[in-house]
């Protein structure tokens, strides 16, 4: 009888972060085969582990000034509880520049 061996990498990627093998490959600029090898126990590059954590909103930034900020999917979760998109941030910056220029 053949069964799937569950590795720490598989648990981290699939269960803790909830990211599919296909999304992991796209996120890390690797092949699906690479991801499947990691799931079987092959070593995974540290930068890929960090990218997965960042995407799954486990980490954001490395300094104290980023405390309370996290990425949730495609939006930035602010310490105030607001969720903002990239377009909202760009619009806010543009409005500040217009006000300062006036």
């Amino acid at each position: 009888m053949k069964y799937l061996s569950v590795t720490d990498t598989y648990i981290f990627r699939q269960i803790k972060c909830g990211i599919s093998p296909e999304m992991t490959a796209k996120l890390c600029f690797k092949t699906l085969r690479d991801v499947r090898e990691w799931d079987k126990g092959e070593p995974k590059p540290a930068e890929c582990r960090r990218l997965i954590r960042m995407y799954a909103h486990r980490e954001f930034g490395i300094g104290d000034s980023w405390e309370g900020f996290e990425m949730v999917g495609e939006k930035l979760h602010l310490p105030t509880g607001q969720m903002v998109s990239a377009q909202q941030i760009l619009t806010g910056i543009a409005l500040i520049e217009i006000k300062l220029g006036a």
Side-chain angles (χ1 to χ4, degrees), residues 12-26:
F12 170 73
R13 181 191 55 74
Q14 188 71 36
I15 298 171
K16 285 189 176 181
C17 297
I19 299 177
S20 70
E22 293 80 12
M23 180 54 136
T24 302
K26 183 178 178 183

Side-chain angles (χ1 to χ4, degrees), residues 18-49:
I19 299 177
S20 70
E22 293 80 12
M23 180 54 136
T24 302
K26 183 178 178 183
L27 185 65
C28 295
F29 298 99
K30 300 290 184 181
T31 65
L32 190 54
R33 182 174 183 221
D34 288 335
V35 175
R36 290 192 174 131
E37 292 297 318
W38 301 338
D39 284 351
K40 291 178 186 175
E42 290 294 317
K44 175 176 33 173
E47 63 273 12
C48 292
R49 189 173 185 92

Side-chain angles (χ1 to χ4, degrees), residues 70-94:
E70 62 182 7
M71 289 300 295
V72 180
E74 297 286 324
K75 294 200 174 199
L76 177 62
H77 184 246
L78 304 176
T80 60
Q82 294 172 292
M83 301 280 283
V84 294
S85 68
Q87 189 60 48
Q88 288 174 302
I89 293 169
L90 293 173
T91 301
I93 292 168

